Amino acid sequence: MKNLAVYLACILILSACKEDEQTADDATLKLSFSHVVGEEPLQLNTARYVNAAGEAYSLSKVRYYISNIRLRNTTTGEVYIEPESYHLVGTESSDVFEISLEKLPIGTYNQLEFAIGVDNSTNTSTDRVGALDPSNDMAWNWNTGYKFLSVEGTYFVTEEESEGLIYHIGGDPNYRKLTYTLGQENLPEVVLSAGNETQVSVRVDVAELFDAPNLVSFQEHAVVMFDPFSEKVADNYASGMFTIDRIK
Amino acid sequence: MPLLMLGLYAACNEEKDIDKEPVYDPTPYTLSLPWYFPDGATVPSDNSFTEEGIALGRMLFYEKQLSADKSISCASCHQQEKAFTDGRQFPLGINGGQVNKNTMSLHNLLWVNRLNWDGRDTSLEAQAVGPLTNPLEMGLEDVNEAVLRLQATEIYPPQFFAAFGSDSITAENLLKALAQFERTLISNQSKLDKYWRDEYEPTDLERKGMDLFYTHPEASQGIKGGNCGDCHLGPFTGGATDAFNGFHNNGLDQDNDMEEGLAAHTGNDFDKGKFRAPSLRNIALTAPYMHDGRFNTLEEVLAHYDEHIQMSATLDPLIQEASNAPIQSGEPIRLHLLPEEKEAILAFLHMLTDSTFIEDERFSNPFTP
């Protein structure tokens, strides 16, 4: 009898394992995030960088939330919204990180939007799983929601003296939506066709986090956690840190 | 859900013994895990749980024939009543041998993919070879020495047949059975678990301790914190499980007298002095503390984090930049915790004791009636 049950379970599992047939109206979009510091690929722990203020530093951790991905259809103006759209992008083992969106409606899209951080309604609860699991080292504590961006490393004050470099940015005012208009200049529209995969390559320049519009001095701000300066840092990650450099 | 799939998938691949007696027909076993435990519990695809494998693993865990002079078993140093530790600074091997690492507590191991204090093993199957063959621990020539002994017994070959479909014992199957048993050691009945399940209301002191535990202090903003939760994450209170992010230099030593730690395994200078941040479940039962058992009490551990942090090149920045008083450049690193704040954190740590786990019959010695 037990064998029969196992056999039935096998049939269920095996049929579940079979690739879903591509239906005529679904396509895949891959967002790939490649991390650089200025012109160099990001290297954790070993590489030394110099910020725009001329201060030396290294990085041991770069992580952030990409959330609420949306696409606007060129023809109909309809907006596709990814359900449960929370992705923790981390750079521990490789400098490229991919988010895969599947079963998207086919069509042409001339606007892509995503946010840095976690939106207010979700940010107030840390009893979640997946990317928002509080064991992911991105929940602050039970009261303050998530770190939207967590960058850690070392600030070399002098050759002999160093301090911890900690940028933990969170809080509702620092949730930032980034909107990209496509089909202009050298960025084509996103064309999703049945059974095909389209790739959007996002270049993430960590140097920009400390540069513009607000020039950051580590001497003044080696540690940014809850202070008002967080908003200046959020302004920086909302402008120029994330650029789309290829769509194919 | 993935666990169940694995179990069934393995069952799918069973070889059907049609014409042999006795019949190999293992019973798949499914662990149920609380919703608030992190994702990423993994079971190797070639070692799914079966009732028979777990039962065999439990016997092997308590089997003294697995040591060279048949004097100790895994359970000699991993004692259930001490949450699978031994109460010693260093475990006692055969002939009085001692390795220089404190015995690690065993619980909720499905999430640990970098085992030992220095992260050198990536699976429980591989990890067990260390203590079995270390001359300072169980001292076998190799795992096959134990295989030959067990093959010569009446009791073990049928058990191996029931678990793996062959009564020819192999080192691989011995290690697999041990790992299956170890993966069933789930602790989820502490007060903290009950709090997460809305079955327990913490006292004011416990609540205060919980807030301090999980908060990184920021004196400039008037935020008080004990700074524990930066490394001991979430309801699990364990280190991060991705790559080596759960390994930290927690300020025990200065550069010139520091053990290699993770660097011994990775070869990276920036990993020097980093050790795994273990889950703190049952921490009140597992003294002494730290990778080298240097602290005898939780009070000593708190005193270390409060006022004895040693500066070094790889000191964790989240420890270096944490204080409940304004940080002055060039001053030694201090948390500046008040006595009543330490008392609250201790109360929280005691919330992590799981007395159900240490009395669970399923994990006890099967050879004692």
Side-chain angles (χ1 to χ4, degrees):
Chain A
M1 195 59 228
K2 194 173 66 184
N3 265 340
L4 178 68
V6 166
Y7 177 68
L8 285 176
C10 288
I11 291 188
L12 286 174
I13 298 269
L14 288 174
S15 52
C17 296
K18 232 174 49 183
E19 289 239 352
D20 287 311
E21 297 291 318
Q22 285 268 0
T23 55
D25 65 346
D26 69 66
T28 304
L29 179 69
K30 272 214 168 106
L31 289 175
S32 79
F33 295 81
S34 58
H35 298 87
V36 297
V37 181
E39 298 304 308
E40 306 287 314
L42 170 64
Q43 273 193 306
L44 294 178
N45 298 306
T46 48
R48 271 204 193 199
Y49 305 106
V50 177
N51 68 6
E55 299 161 318
Y57 68 103
S58 67
L59 297 165
S60 57
K61 181 185 286 180
V62 175
R63 308 176 94 191
Y64 47 87
Y65 280 110
I66 296 289
S67 67
N68 299 310
I69 301 171
R70 294 163 176 243
L71 287 161
R72 189 180 68 194
N73 189 296
T74 310
T75 335
T76 64
E78 279 183 35
V79 176
Y80 168 83
I81 304 171
E82 188 197 17
E84 271 301 299
S85 186
Y86 301 100
H87 306 273
L88 175 53
V89 179
T91 59
E92 280 71 29
S93 45
S94 96
D95 53 9
V96 179
F97 190 95
E98 281 191 341
I99 294 173
S100 204
L101 287 81
E102 282 158 13
K103 298 197 171 25
L104 302 186
I106 58 171
T108 306
Y109 297 86
N110 61 1
Q111 196 180 74
L112 168 68
E113 182 187 282
F114 58 80
I116 310 297
V118 177
D119 51 276
N120 167 281
S121 59
T122 304
N123 195 29
T124 45
S125 69
T126 47
D127 55 350
R128 290 176 171 266
V129 292
L132 297 168
D133 184 330
S135 298
N136 281 342
D137 197 15
M138 292 294 275
W140 246 319
N141 60 27
W142 310 148
N143 312 318
T144 32
Y146 293 91
K147 304 165 193 169
F148 298 169
L149 170 133
S150 170
V151 170
E152 293 168 20
T154 304
Y155 158 44
F156 301 101
V157 186
T158 62
E159 271 312 305
E160 292 76 43
E161 195 192 342
S162 64
E163 290 178 11
L165 182 69
I166 303 168
Y167 277 59
H168 288 180
I169 312 297
D172 291 334
N174 299 320
Y175 174 78
R176 298 301 168 87
K177 291 179 189 168
L178 308 184
T179 306
Y180 300 89
T181 305
L182 311 174
Q184 300 177 335
E185 294 166 21
N186 43 13
L187 277 187
E189 294 179 309
V190 166
V191 180
L192 297 179
S193 56
N196 281 336
E197 181 182 293
T198 306
Q199 185 160 26
V200 175
S201 304
V202 182
R203 187 168 183 272
V204 186
D205 186 350
V206 183
E208 291 284 339
L209 185 66
F210 307 123
D211 189 358
N214 303 301
L215 182 69
V216 168
S217 153
F218 294 153
Q219 195 180 348
E220 288 169 41
H221 298 285
V223 177
V224 181
M225 282 196 174
F226 296 98
D227 57 59
F229 191 73
S230 292
E231 291 195 41
K232 302 264 189 239
V233 180
D235 290 344
N236 287 1
Y237 63 61
S239 68
M241 182 171 170
F242 294 83
T243 49
I244 295 179
D245 63 1
R246 204 160 42 127
I247 295 178
K248 67 173 172 89
Chain B
M1 194 56 218
L3 290 181
L4 181 68
M5 302 267 287
L6 287 172
L8 289 172
Y9 181 69
C12 297
N13 290 343
E14 272 174 38
E15 289 175 25
K16 294 279 176 283
D17 294 285
I18 314 158
D19 51 3
K20 273 197 283 185
E21 290 291 333
V23 179
Y24 171 56
D25 187 17
T27 314
Y29 172 87
T30 310
L31 274 179
S32 67
L33 301 170
W35 65 267
Y36 51 86
F37 273 24
D39 293 344
T42 47
V43 174
S45 56
D46 63 351
N47 192 18
S48 342
F49 286 113
T50 62
E51 301 271 8
E52 293 79 1
I54 294 163
L56 171 59
R58 179 180 164 197
M59 290 166 67
L60 294 168
F61 190 84
Y62 286 90
E63 180 54 70
K64 291 185 174 175
Q65 292 191 78
L66 298 193
S67 58
D69 62 2
K70 304 180 187 177
S71 65
I72 55 173
S73 67
C74 305
S76 303
C77 301
H78 295 289
Q79 300 160 18
Q80 186 182 4
E81 68 272 17
K82 297 189 180 81
F84 295 100
T85 60
D86 55 5
R88 302 173 49 86
Q89 180 176 15
F90 301 124
L92 199 55
I94 59 167
N95 306 323
Q98 287 188 35
V99 292
N100 66 350
K101 292 288 181 297
N102 185 252
T103 299
M104 296 196 90
S105 173
L106 305 181
H107 61 269
N108 304 350
L109 294 161
L110 292 146
W111 292 263
V112 184
N113 47 21
R114 312 278 178 185
L115 290 136
N116 306 314
W117 284 105
D118 64 3
R120 69 182 177 272
D121 289 314
T122 54
S123 75
L124 285 164
E125 287 82 350
Q127 184 276 333
V129 177
L132 287 169
T133 59
N134 187 324
L136 297 173
E137 294 179 79
M138 296 162 86
L140 295 173
E141 284 297 315
D142 55 25
V143 183
N144 277 323
E145 192 180 350
V147 168
L148 293 174
R149 289 179 185 180
L150 300 181
Q151 193 73 62
T153 62
E154 294 241 327
I155 164 176
Y156 278 104
Q159 297 280 348
F160 272 88
F161 176 82
F164 299 107
S166 167
D167 54 14
S168 294
I169 301 175
T170 63
E172 185 189 8
N173 287 343
L174 185 155
L175 297 169
K176 279 184 175 179
L178 270 176
Q180 282 190 44
F181 170 68
E182 289 175 297
R183 289 191 181 103
T184 65
L185 303 174
I186 300 294
S187 167
N188 60 5
Q189 297 297 322
S190 71
K191 280 185 184 174
L192 182 65
D193 292 288
K194 290 173 180 160
Y195 160 77
W196 273 89
R197 296 197 294 260
D198 294 323
E199 298 162 15
Y200 176 75
E201 187 58 43
T203 65
D204 290 351
L205 192 66
E206 287 170 340
R207 168 77 61 177
K208 179 181 172 185
M210 191 183 307
D211 287 342
L212 286 165
F213 182 94
Y214 286 113
T215 305
H216 184 103
E218 189 52 63
S220 66
Q221 309 299 310
I223 297 168
K224 301 285 280 175
N227 207 40
C228 320
D230 282 341
C231 300
H232 297 283
L233 308 172
F236 219 54
T237 68
T241 55
D242 51 326
F244 290 114
N245 282 314
F247 289 75
H248 304 272
N249 172 343
N250 63 342
L252 291 170
D253 297 301
Q254 295 175 353
D255 284 315
N256 52 10
D257 57 0
M258 177 184 293
E259 282 183 58
E260 288 293 302
L262 180 59
H265 169 60
T266 64
N268 297 324
D269 283 349
F270 56 79
D271 288 330
K272 197 163 186 269
K274 292 183 182 176
F275 291 93
R276 177 148 67 91
S279 156
L280 299 182
R281 252 152 231 272
N282 294 312
I283 196 71
L285 306 173
T286 61
Y289 302 108
M290 301 294 152
H291 67 273
D292 55 6
R294 68 174 67 188
F295 299 131
N296 288 315
T297 64
L298 288 172
E299 285 81 356
E300 284 178 41
V301 173
L302 286 185
H304 161 72
Y305 286 120
D306 187 30
E307 54 188 345
H308 301 299
I309 292 288
Q310 304 298 305
M311 186 62 200
S312 64
T314 57
L315 176 66
D316 201 280
L318 293 172
I319 290 180
Q320 189 179 343
E321 304 299 335
S323 182
N324 288 284
I327 297 175
Q328 311 295 337
S329 195
E331 292 282 295
I333 298 159
R334 296 279 185 274
L335 256 180
H336 295 287
L337 285 172
L338 302 168
E340 59 266 33
E341 291 170 335
K342 289 187 195 170
E343 188 195 357
I345 294 170
L346 278 174
F348 172 76
L349 293 174
H350 281 273
M351 275 182 80
L352 297 167
T353 299
D354 181 350
S355 40
T356 308
F357 177 75
I358 58 171
E359 290 168 2
D360 194 321
E361 289 286 326
R362 295 171 302 165
F363 311 145
S364 64
N365 187 340
F367 301 115
T368 52

